[in-house]
Amino acid sequence: MEFMKVALLFEELEKTASGNDLRDLLSAFLKDLSEEEISVVVYLCLGRLGPEYDDIVLGFAEKTVLKALSRASGVSEKKVDSLMVTLGDAGLVAEQVLARKLTTLVPVESLTIHDLYAGLIKISHVSGSRSVEAKSDILVSLLGRCSGVECKYVVRIALGTIRLGIAEMTVVDSLAIAFIGSKKDKVDVERAYMVCPDLGYIASVLQSQGVGGLSKITATVGRPVKMMLAQRVTDLDQIEEKMPGSVLVEAKYDGERVQVHKLDSGVVRLFSRQLQDITLQFPDLVAAVSTHLKCSSCIVEGEILALGENGRPLAFQTLMQRRRKNDIADYVSKIPVVLKLFDVLLVDSVVVMGHQLVERKKWLNAIVLPGGAMELATNMVMDDVYEIDTYFRSMLDAGYEGVIVKSLDGSYQAGHRGWNWIKWKKDYAGELVDTFDVVVIGAFHGKGKRKGGYGALLCAVYDSGSEKFLSFCKLGTGLTDTVLEGLNTVLDGNRVKEKPKNVESGVIADVWFSPIVVCEISGAEITRSPSHASGFALRFPRFLKFREKKATDATTLVEVKEMGVK
Ligand code: AMP
């Protein structure tokens, strides 16, 4: 199929504000694609070139793409640069300079989806000293086969700035509509997506085998599974209501969640909560897995913690220094870590996610040989809220963040924030009522001491129903000088000219951002608010830290409603 058809679809999607219309447009289009085409279109709609756990990077700087545009169009670099200043989007510049004249003398072969994808993958493989030129050459040849509207999207794909407002769940719904019947029938697609977060692959299975093919998709070693998440309560007593009887109470570590995959071949891969491959950052853990996990293959989960000299846990920020590409060996000794294992999803090719937690813990105990950097999470079975409180306080004394209360007979619910796990953190037990993970959607220029930078941020909660980010508070407190200095670095890459269409706010910010950056804040009280799009406002919000979370994993409108207006 010609890429032109996809470009026209993208034009339509971009103009469409209603979620239902987006789904209908997408599902109608996906239905008629071949098995190979459908996966490519799904990836491109999501602004990617592969599944979310595969880091396929094109590595283009805006400057390089603008130069390529000048080469492909014959328009001078100076003119291209000045158009960029006026239009502010390289895609729009491409559309303008490469609007194909109707009377080309030599007919140009049009670009197919297959050729575009093959070209992009080729670009991602280019490395070495002349890589910038070699990548540009491929891009110029692709642009040479495009008309204006196609160029707009090829350039946005190259720069990673395709923002069609399509989230993974929109694709899940659209696939259900296209291949099963309606959005309501999405359970099977959703289940498959949680154990196999590769919507391109799921789409091609649906295309080739229909819904029956989905049941064969299970957790596989080497491919990450969406991680199970914990619910929260505002009062310790609520735990008893949600989970009557005996429960497992486990230390809540403030580190980095990791899913460890040990393959039959002996290869070990570590995935973060965002499903990024973080194996190279932890050679010490890879070595420990090889010697301390007594099974030929498995998927286990735990939390990586940085340890101080006295063996007490160090702050999450210290651990994050391990997020590096260079001098890893130095950091292995500078910041020693320990892996606290708490769950198992697969052992020796058998998927055990559907088994009760007590059973999974037995498997885990049987395969883990504690020692070195490998330990089992500390836990106890109890059935009394006072006992839980005492245990919680002893965990705080040990330097941990709190506890996670787990249902003994609960299964591992991939990608689900359910009542089988409930978190209880120290922030909840203090004077301030709660912490929230909010998404930065805008900023206000600073005054006085903060002049020249940002003075406050506009933050939102996520409404999973409408898939929109709704304003919730203006955040100025708790932003230390160090945080303020770093704000531009963290936020400016996401700056957009207008309020994005998946953002709603009655409060007008000076600057808008695509909803990507998540930060943890505390607050004293939730009140009703006519000016915030969420309908609620948080009083006395205070910045705590940036979070390595997806925006769609932030605190939801439903959670805010459940916490209630005080
Ligand atoms: P939160 O990030 O506040 O939603 O809390 C959930 C996170 O706590 C999980 O994603 C894990 O990274 C972390 N965690 C720490 N200790 C445990 C534990 N024992 N069981 C499950 N999750 C844990």
Side-chain angles (χ1 to χ4, degrees):
M1 180 188 273
E2 288 170 1
F3 179 63
M4 182 55 144
K5 291 195 175 147
V6 180
L8 292 175
L9 168 78
F10 286 180
E11 285 277 274
E12 282 291 306
L13 293 174
E14 218 179 59
K15 279 189 247 143
T16 310
S18 133
N20 281 340
D21 293 348
L22 275 180
R23 288 177 185 85
D24 289 344
L25 274 171
L26 191 57
S27 59
F29 189 85
L30 294 176
K31 226 179 192 162
D32 298 325
L33 297 176
S34 73
E35 202 184 321
E36 186 211 9
E37 287 164 349
I38 197 170
S39 53
V40 174
V41 174
V42 162
Y43 295 144
L44 294 182
C45 277
L46 292 165
R48 275 198 291 272
L49 293 172
E52 49 201 282
Y53 54 85
D54 254 350
D55 202 10
I56 306 179
V57 181
L58 295 178
F60 276 118
E62 191 177 86
K63 215 169 69 196
T64 316
V65 171
L66 293 178
K67 272 194 176 153
L69 272 178
S70 159
R71 278 174 63 198
S73 63
V75 173
S76 73
E77 278 184 34
K78 207 170 152 206
K79 173 84 184 143
V80 169
D81 288 346
S82 88
L83 275 172
M84 182 64 201
V85 174
T86 325
L87 298 171
D89 169 10
L92 295 178
V93 177
E95 188 174 28
Q96 205 166 98
V97 298
L98 280 159
R100 164 101 38 88
K101 292 164 212 82
L102 288 173
T103 51
T104 33
L105 291 176
V106 188
V108 186
E109 194 195 343
S110 56
L111 187 66
T112 61
I113 302 179
H114 173 86
D115 290 351
L116 171 64
Y117 190 66
L120 293 169
I121 294 298
K122 204 163 146 196
I123 292 175
S124 75
H125 289 155
V126 174
S127 60
S129 56
R130 280 202 70 254
S131 63
V132 177
E133 291 84 348
K135 284 174 188 225
S136 302
D137 289 347
I138 306 174
L139 183 62
V140 170
S141 77
L142 292 173
L143 290 171
R145 291 169 62 188
C146 296
S147 69
V149 65
E150 289 169 286
C151 290
K152 170 169 150 189
Y153 292 104
V154 169
V155 159
R156 286 186 184 167
I157 293 167
L159 286 171
T161 55
I162 274 228
R163 292 195 183 112
L164 300 170
I166 292 190
E168 283 76 9
M169 283 306 159
T170 315
V171 175
V172 166
D173 290 350
S174 305
L175 289 173
I177 299 169
F179 297 101
I180 312 178
S182 89
K183 193 169 102 178
K184 289 196 212 87
D185 304 320
K186 67 177 174 188
V187 271
D188 291 332
V189 188
E190 206 168 7
R191 186 210 62 84
Y193 172 57
M194 294 307 166
V195 293
C196 164
D198 181 350
L199 283 170
Y201 173 68
I202 290 173
S204 67
V205 168
L206 277 165
Q207 185 61 276
S208 57
Q209 303 168 43
V211 65
L214 294 183
S215 57
K216 290 180 223 140
I217 299 181
T218 56
T220 302
V221 189
R223 182 179 67 200
V225 170
K226 287 246 173 203
M227 299 189 196
M228 178 166 174
L229 303 168
Q231 271 286 6
R232 63 155 100 201
V233 284
T234 46
D235 194 327
L236 205 49
D237 287 332
Q238 285 174 292
I239 294 179
E240 257 180 336
E241 287 163 34
K242 299 286 179 190
M243 253 184 238
S246 300
V247 290
L248 184 92
V249 187
E250 194 155 77
K252 182 177 193 310
Y253 305 104
D254 186 15
E256 178 164 22
R257 174 89 167 259
V258 67
Q259 199 173 78
V260 179
H261 289 237
K262 182 179 180 190
L263 282 73
D264 283 313
S265 59
V267 169
V268 174
R269 290 184 73 184
L270 308 179
F271 293 99
S272 72
R273 176 163 158 173
Q274 301 299 329
L275 310 186
Q276 283 168 331
D277 192 325
I278 50 168
T279 314
L280 291 178
Q281 288 160 36
F282 298 101
D284 38 352
L285 290 185
V286 172
V289 167
S290 306
T291 49
H292 286 71
L293 282 186
K294 299 290 162 200
C295 53
S296 56
S297 69
C298 67
I299 305 178
V300 291
E301 263 186 26
E303 189 91 351
I304 304 173
L305 266 188
L307 290 183
E309 273 171 16
N310 52 6
R312 277 177 75 88
L314 295 177
F316 173 72
Q317 275 76 0
T318 314
L319 178 67
M320 280 302 108
Q321 293 179 36
R322 279 267 198 132
R323 280 267 166 119
R324 50 202 317 116
K325 291 209 167 73
N326 304 316
D327 15 298
I328 293 185
D330 281 356
Y331 275 78
V332 166
S333 50
K334 233 187 249 177
I335 304 174
V337 295
V338 62
L339 172 56
K340 300 277 192 179
L341 287 165
F342 52 72
D343 219 320
V344 56
L345 285 71
L346 182 148
V347 194
D348 290 334
S349 311
V350 180
V351 178
V352 297
M353 291 163 56
H355 290 261
Q356 300 187 341
L357 178 68
V358 262
E359 296 302 322
R360 301 203 305 281
K361 286 285 187 186
K362 280 186 205 154
W363 264 299
L364 192 63
N365 292 349
I367 61 170
V368 177
L369 187 70
M374 191 81 72
E375 286 173 20
L376 288 161
T378 311
N379 55 39
M380 257 175 96
V381 173
M382 46 190 77
D383 48 20
D384 172 311
V385 68
Y386 299 110
E387 225 183 332
I388 299 179
D389 192 37
T390 312
Y391 190 72
F392 163 70
R393 284 172 203 283
S394 72
M395 289 296 117
L396 295 189
D397 291 343
Y400 302 135
E401 205 186 10
V403 291
I404 303 231
V405 182
K406 300 183 174 180
S407 148
L408 288 167
D409 54 10
S411 59
Y412 184 96
Q413 299 170 305
H416 188 65
R417 189 186 291 282
W419 290 107
N420 278 351
W421 287 7
I422 298 176
K423 56 187 175 185
W424 183 248
K425 299 207 267 186
K426 60 171 170 270
D427 314 292
Y428 308 172
E431 255 53 73
L432 285 179
V433 281
D434 255 307
T435 62
F436 305 79
D437 291 327
V438 290
V439 185
V440 183
I441 53 170
F444 302 90
H445 297 310
K447 293 190 192 114
K449 220 176 115 211
R450 293 186 181 177
K451 199 162 181 207
Y454 295 132
L457 303 176
L458 182 62
C459 299
V461 290
Y462 182 57
D463 176 21
S464 50
S466 65
E467 292 179 357
K468 291 198 168 166
F469 295 87
L470 312 178
S471 66
F472 179 51
C473 63
K474 191 172 164 182
L475 176 68
T477 314
L479 298 165
T480 59
D481 288 347
T482 331
V483 175
L484 282 169
E485 274 162 30
L487 273 184
N488 292 65
T489 325
V490 178
L491 293 169
D492 281 357
N494 307 321
R495 195 164 160 167
V496 284
K497 278 197 152 171
E498 291 170 12
K499 183 167 69 60
K501 64 181 182 186
N502 57 346
V503 164
E504 300 268 333
S505 173
V507 178
I508 308 298
D510 294 331
V511 171
W512 295 103
F513 302 111
S514 288
I516 293 171
V517 173
V518 178
C519 56
E520 187 177 12
I521 61 172
S522 63
E525 194 180 345
I526 299 170
T527 54
R528 292 210 182 273
S529 161
S531 48
H532 281 300
S534 59
F536 299 98
L538 182 65
R539 291 189 65 210
F540 310 124
R542 187 179 181 80
F543 176 89
L544 298 175
K545 63 183 178 203
F546 285 110
R547 302 253 0 212
E548 294 278 327
K549 253 191 183 183
K550 254 186 164 172
T552 47
D553 286 338
T555 302
T556 60
L557 180 62
V558 173
E559 285 179 281
V560 170
K561 281 183 186 157
E562 274 170 4
M563 280 178 228
V565 176
K566 297 263 152 62

PDB file of all heavy atoms in Angstrom, residues 232-244 385 419 422 424 562-563:
ATOM      1  N   ARG A 232      -4.336   2.238  46.243  1.00  0.00           N
ATOM      2  CA  ARG A 232      -4.045   2.936  47.491  1.00  0.00           C
ATOM      3  C   ARG A 232      -5.317   3.139  48.297  1.00  0.00           C
ATOM      4  O   ARG A 232      -6.420   3.143  47.765  1.00  0.00           O
ATOM      5  CB  ARG A 232      -3.414   4.275  47.206  1.00  0.00           C
ATOM      6  CG  ARG A 232      -4.352   5.189  46.438  1.00  0.00           C
ATOM      7  CD  ARG A 232      -3.999   6.604  46.695  1.00  0.00           C
ATOM      8  NE  ARG A 232      -3.213   7.148  45.619  1.00  0.00           N
ATOM      9  CZ  ARG A 232      -2.437   8.211  45.742  1.00  0.00           C
ATOM     10  NH1 ARG A 232      -2.320   8.809  46.881  1.00  0.00           N
ATOM     11  NH2 ARG A 232      -1.771   8.679  44.733  1.00  0.00           N
ATOM     12  N   VAL A 233      -5.129   3.281  49.601  1.00  0.00           N
ATOM     13  CA  VAL A 233      -6.269   3.606  50.458  1.00  0.00           C
ATOM     14  C   VAL A 233      -5.907   4.876  51.220  1.00  0.00           C
ATOM     15  O   VAL A 233      -4.734   5.246  51.292  1.00  0.00           O
ATOM     16  CB  VAL A 233      -6.562   2.469  51.474  1.00  0.00           C
ATOM     17  CG1 VAL A 233      -7.247   1.303  50.803  1.00  0.00           C
ATOM     18  CG2 VAL A 233      -5.301   2.026  52.188  1.00  0.00           C
ATOM     19  N   THR A 234      -6.905   5.552  51.763  1.00  0.00           N
ATOM     20  CA  THR A 234      -6.591   6.777  52.501  1.00  0.00           C
ATOM     21  C   THR A 234      -6.568   6.511  54.000  1.00  0.00           C
ATOM     22  O   THR A 234      -6.155   7.337  54.782  1.00  0.00           O
ATOM     23  CB  THR A 234      -7.641   7.870  52.212  1.00  0.00           C
ATOM     24  OG1 THR A 234      -8.931   7.274  52.296  1.00  0.00           O
ATOM     25  CG2 THR A 234      -7.463   8.456  50.836  1.00  0.00           C
ATOM     26  N   ASP A 235      -7.010   5.324  54.382  1.00  0.00           N
ATOM     27  CA  ASP A 235      -7.089   4.984  55.785  1.00  0.00           C
ATOM     28  C   ASP A 235      -6.704   3.516  55.920  1.00  0.00           C
ATOM     29  O   ASP A 235      -7.168   2.685  55.127  1.00  0.00           O
ATOM     30  CB  ASP A 235      -8.565   5.199  56.205  1.00  0.00           C
ATOM     31  CG  ASP A 235      -8.712   5.214  57.699  1.00  0.00           C
ATOM     32  OD1 ASP A 235      -7.942   4.488  58.343  1.00  0.00           O
ATOM     33  OD2 ASP A 235      -9.600   5.937  58.187  1.00  0.00           O
ATOM     34  N   LEU A 236      -5.877   3.212  56.899  1.00  0.00           N
ATOM     35  CA  LEU A 236      -5.408   1.838  57.069  1.00  0.00           C
ATOM     36  C   LEU A 236      -6.577   0.854  57.248  1.00  0.00           C
ATOM     37  O   LEU A 236      -6.522  -0.284  56.775  1.00  0.00           O
ATOM     38  CB  LEU A 236      -4.460   1.784  58.268  1.00  0.00           C
ATOM     39  CG  LEU A 236      -3.416   0.683  58.317  1.00  0.00           C
ATOM     40  CD1 LEU A 236      -2.642   0.578  57.026  1.00  0.00           C
ATOM     41  CD2 LEU A 236      -2.465   0.913  59.468  1.00  0.00           C
ATOM     42  N   ASP A 237      -7.653   1.324  57.905  1.00  0.00           N
ATOM     43  CA  ASP A 237      -8.811   0.452  58.156  1.00  0.00           C
ATOM     44  C   ASP A 237      -9.442  -0.067  56.862  1.00  0.00           C
ATOM     45  O   ASP A 237     -10.052  -1.131  56.844  1.00  0.00           O
ATOM     46  CB  ASP A 237      -9.897   1.192  58.938  1.00  0.00           C
ATOM     47  CG  ASP A 237      -9.476   1.391  60.370  1.00  0.00           C
ATOM     48  OD1 ASP A 237      -8.688   0.555  60.853  1.00  0.00           O
ATOM     49  OD2 ASP A 237      -9.906   2.385  60.983  1.00  0.00           O
ATOM     50  N   GLN A 238      -9.286   0.710  55.780  1.00  0.00           N
ATOM     51  CA  GLN A 238      -9.910   0.307  54.509  1.00  0.00           C
ATOM     52  C   GLN A 238      -9.293  -0.988  53.969  1.00  0.00           C
ATOM     53  O   GLN A 238      -9.914  -1.678  53.169  1.00  0.00           O
ATOM     54  CB  GLN A 238      -9.725   1.406  53.468  1.00  0.00           C
ATOM     55  CG  GLN A 238     -10.613   2.593  53.680  1.00  0.00           C
ATOM     56  CD  GLN A 238     -10.254   3.691  52.698  1.00  0.00           C
ATOM     57  OE1 GLN A 238      -9.187   4.288  52.769  1.00  0.00           O
ATOM     58  NE2 GLN A 238     -11.131   3.939  51.760  1.00  0.00           N
ATOM     59  N   ILE A 239      -8.083  -1.303  54.416  1.00  0.00           N
ATOM     60  CA  ILE A 239      -7.427  -2.516  53.917  1.00  0.00           C
ATOM     61  C   ILE A 239      -8.261  -3.745  54.281  1.00  0.00           C
ATOM     62  O   ILE A 239      -8.450  -4.640  53.471  1.00  0.00           O
ATOM     63  CB  ILE A 239      -5.980  -2.631  54.457  1.00  0.00           C
ATOM     64  CG1 ILE A 239      -5.162  -1.493  53.860  1.00  0.00           C
ATOM     65  CG2 ILE A 239      -5.367  -3.994  54.145  1.00  0.00           C
ATOM     66  CD1 ILE A 239      -3.736  -1.427  54.293  1.00  0.00           C
ATOM     67  N   GLU A 240      -8.768  -3.736  55.517  1.00  0.00           N
ATOM     68  CA  GLU A 240      -9.583  -4.871  55.972  1.00  0.00           C
ATOM     69  C   GLU A 240     -10.829  -5.050  55.109  1.00  0.00           C
ATOM     70  O   GLU A 240     -11.229  -6.163  54.806  1.00  0.00           O
ATOM     71  CB  GLU A 240     -10.000  -4.670  57.421  1.00  0.00           C
ATOM     72  CG  GLU A 240      -9.171  -5.523  58.348  1.00  0.00           C
ATOM     73  CD  GLU A 240      -9.567  -5.355  59.790  1.00  0.00           C
ATOM     74  OE1 GLU A 240     -10.130  -4.306  60.144  1.00  0.00           O
ATOM     75  OE2 GLU A 240      -9.298  -6.298  60.559  1.00  0.00           O
ATOM     76  N   GLU A 241     -11.430  -3.897  54.716  1.00  0.00           N
ATOM     77  CA  GLU A 241     -12.642  -3.979  53.870  1.00  0.00           C
ATOM     78  C   GLU A 241     -12.294  -4.570  52.507  1.00  0.00           C
ATOM     79  O   GLU A 241     -13.007  -5.396  51.973  1.00  0.00           O
ATOM     80  CB  GLU A 241     -13.203  -2.582  53.595  1.00  0.00           C
ATOM     81  CG  GLU A 241     -13.885  -1.929  54.749  1.00  0.00           C
ATOM     82  CD  GLU A 241     -14.024  -0.419  54.481  1.00  0.00           C
ATOM     83  OE1 GLU A 241     -14.205  -0.025  53.320  1.00  0.00           O
ATOM     84  OE2 GLU A 241     -13.916   0.338  55.463  1.00  0.00           O
ATOM     85  N   LYS A 242     -11.172  -4.124  51.971  1.00  0.00           N
ATOM     86  CA  LYS A 242     -10.805  -4.548  50.620  1.00  0.00           C
ATOM     87  C   LYS A 242     -10.263  -5.970  50.598  1.00  0.00           C
ATOM     88  O   LYS A 242     -10.386  -6.693  49.622  1.00  0.00           O
ATOM     89  CB  LYS A 242      -9.741  -3.613  50.025  1.00  0.00           C
ATOM     90  CG  LYS A 242     -10.199  -2.186  49.904  1.00  0.00           C
ATOM     91  CD  LYS A 242     -11.170  -2.026  48.760  1.00  0.00           C
ATOM     92  CE  LYS A 242     -11.673  -0.607  48.628  1.00  0.00           C
ATOM     93  NZ  LYS A 242     -12.784  -0.485  47.695  1.00  0.00           N
ATOM     94  N   MET A 243      -9.572  -6.348  51.687  1.00  0.00           N
ATOM     95  CA  MET A 243      -8.924  -7.667  51.731  1.00  0.00           C
ATOM     96  C   MET A 243      -9.197  -8.324  53.072  1.00  0.00           C
ATOM     97  O   MET A 243      -8.339  -8.325  53.956  1.00  0.00           O
ATOM     98  CB  MET A 243      -7.408  -7.457  51.599  1.00  0.00           C
ATOM     99  CG  MET A 243      -6.800  -7.838  50.305  1.00  0.00           C
ATOM    100  SD  MET A 243      -5.021  -7.607  50.462  1.00  0.00           S
ATOM    101  CE  MET A 243      -4.715  -6.474  49.177  1.00  0.00           C
ATOM    102  N   PRO A 244     -10.391  -8.866  53.275  1.00  0.00           N
ATOM    103  CA  PRO A 244     -10.685  -9.470  54.580  1.00  0.00           C
ATOM    104  C   PRO A 244      -9.817 -10.715  54.830  1.00  0.00           C
ATOM    105  O   PRO A 244      -9.407 -11.358  53.866  1.00  0.00           O
ATOM    106  CB  PRO A 244     -12.172  -9.854  54.457  1.00  0.00           C
ATOM    107  CG  PRO A 244     -12.621  -9.448  53.099  1.00  0.00           C
ATOM    108  CD  PRO A 244     -11.456  -9.018  52.287  1.00  0.00           C
ATOM    109  N   VAL A 385      -5.167  -5.146  61.711  1.00  0.00           N
ATOM    110  CA  VAL A 385      -4.734  -3.851  61.230  1.00  0.00           C
ATOM    111  C   VAL A 385      -3.671  -3.211  62.154  1.00  0.00           C
ATOM    112  O   VAL A 385      -2.764  -2.519  61.695  1.00  0.00           O
ATOM    113  CB  VAL A 385      -5.956  -2.929  60.982  1.00  0.00           C
ATOM    114  CG1 VAL A 385      -6.644  -2.558  62.241  1.00  0.00           C
ATOM    115  CG2 VAL A 385      -5.572  -1.712  60.185  1.00  0.00           C
ATOM    116  N   TRP A 419      -7.076  -4.419  43.454  1.00  0.00           N
ATOM    117  CA  TRP A 419      -7.091  -4.482  44.923  1.00  0.00           C
ATOM    118  C   TRP A 419      -6.356  -5.700  45.465  1.00  0.00           C
ATOM    119  O   TRP A 419      -6.458  -6.010  46.645  1.00  0.00           O
ATOM    120  CB  TRP A 419      -8.543  -4.435  45.418  1.00  0.00           C
ATOM    121  CG  TRP A 419      -9.158  -3.087  45.198  1.00  0.00           C
ATOM    122  CD1 TRP A 419     -10.090  -2.770  44.262  1.00  0.00           C
ATOM    123  CD2 TRP A 419      -8.864  -1.866  45.886  1.00  0.00           C
ATOM    124  NE1 TRP A 419     -10.388  -1.435  44.333  1.00  0.00           N
ATOM    125  CE2 TRP A 419      -9.655  -0.852  45.325  1.00  0.00           C
ATOM    126  CE3 TRP A 419      -7.982  -1.521  46.931  1.00  0.00           C
ATOM    127  CZ2 TRP A 419      -9.611   0.475  45.759  1.00  0.00           C
ATOM    128  CZ3 TRP A 419      -7.949  -0.200  47.361  1.00  0.00           C
ATOM    129  CH2 TRP A 419      -8.750   0.770  46.785  1.00  0.00           C
ATOM    130  N   ILE A 422      -2.162  -3.447  47.820  1.00  0.00           N
ATOM    131  CA  ILE A 422      -2.496  -2.107  48.325  1.00  0.00           C
ATOM    132  C   ILE A 422      -1.241  -1.499  48.953  1.00  0.00           C
ATOM    133  O   ILE A 422      -0.592  -2.132  49.791  1.00  0.00           O
ATOM    134  CB  ILE A 422      -3.625  -2.179  49.373  1.00  0.00           C
ATOM    135  CG1 ILE A 422      -4.901  -2.743  48.727  1.00  0.00           C
ATOM    136  CG2 ILE A 422      -3.896  -0.799  49.963  1.00  0.00           C
ATOM    137  CD1 ILE A 422      -6.052  -2.939  49.693  1.00  0.00           C
ATOM    138  N   TRP A 424       0.791   1.328  51.217  1.00  0.00           N
ATOM    139  CA  TRP A 424       0.588   2.191  52.379  1.00  0.00           C
ATOM    140  C   TRP A 424       1.928   2.856  52.675  1.00  0.00           C
ATOM    141  O   TRP A 424       2.866   2.202  53.115  1.00  0.00           O
ATOM    142  CB  TRP A 424       0.069   1.359  53.565  1.00  0.00           C
ATOM    143  CG  TRP A 424      -0.241   2.183  54.786  1.00  0.00           C
ATOM    144  CD1 TRP A 424       0.422   2.164  55.972  1.00  0.00           C
ATOM    145  CD2 TRP A 424      -1.289   3.161  54.916  1.00  0.00           C
ATOM    146  NE1 TRP A 424      -0.138   3.059  56.839  1.00  0.00           N
ATOM    147  CE2 TRP A 424      -1.187   3.694  56.218  1.00  0.00           C
ATOM    148  CE3 TRP A 424      -2.277   3.649  54.064  1.00  0.00           C
ATOM    149  CZ2 TRP A 424      -2.052   4.686  56.684  1.00  0.00           C
ATOM    150  CZ3 TRP A 424      -3.138   4.632  54.535  1.00  0.00           C
ATOM    151  CH2 TRP A 424      -3.020   5.134  55.824  1.00  0.00           C
ATOM    152  N   GLU A 562     -12.289   9.257  44.355  1.00  0.00           N
ATOM    153  CA  GLU A 562     -12.398   8.285  45.449  1.00  0.00           C
ATOM    154  C   GLU A 562     -11.832   8.836  46.759  1.00  0.00           C
ATOM    155  O   GLU A 562     -12.300   8.527  47.837  1.00  0.00           O
ATOM    156  CB  GLU A 562     -11.673   6.988  45.088  1.00  0.00           C
ATOM    157  CG  GLU A 562     -12.580   6.053  44.310  1.00  0.00           C
ATOM    158  CD  GLU A 562     -11.835   4.863  43.720  1.00  0.00           C
ATOM    159  OE1 GLU A 562     -10.620   4.715  43.980  1.00  0.00           O
ATOM    160  OE2 GLU A 562     -12.478   4.095  42.980  1.00  0.00           O
ATOM    161  N   MET A 563     -10.765   9.662  46.623  1.00  0.00           N
ATOM    162  CA  MET A 563     -10.181  10.229  47.847  1.00  0.00           C
ATOM    163  C   MET A 563     -11.170  11.193  48.499  1.00  0.00           C
ATOM    164  O   MET A 563     -11.146  11.397  49.695  1.00  0.00           O
ATOM    165  CB  MET A 563      -8.893  10.966  47.506  1.00  0.00           C
ATOM    166  CG  MET A 563      -7.729  10.036  47.338  1.00  0.00           C
ATOM    167  SD  MET A 563      -6.329  11.029  46.892  1.00  0.00           S
ATOM    168  CE  MET A 563      -5.731  10.105  45.529  1.00  0.00           C
TER     169      MET A 563
END
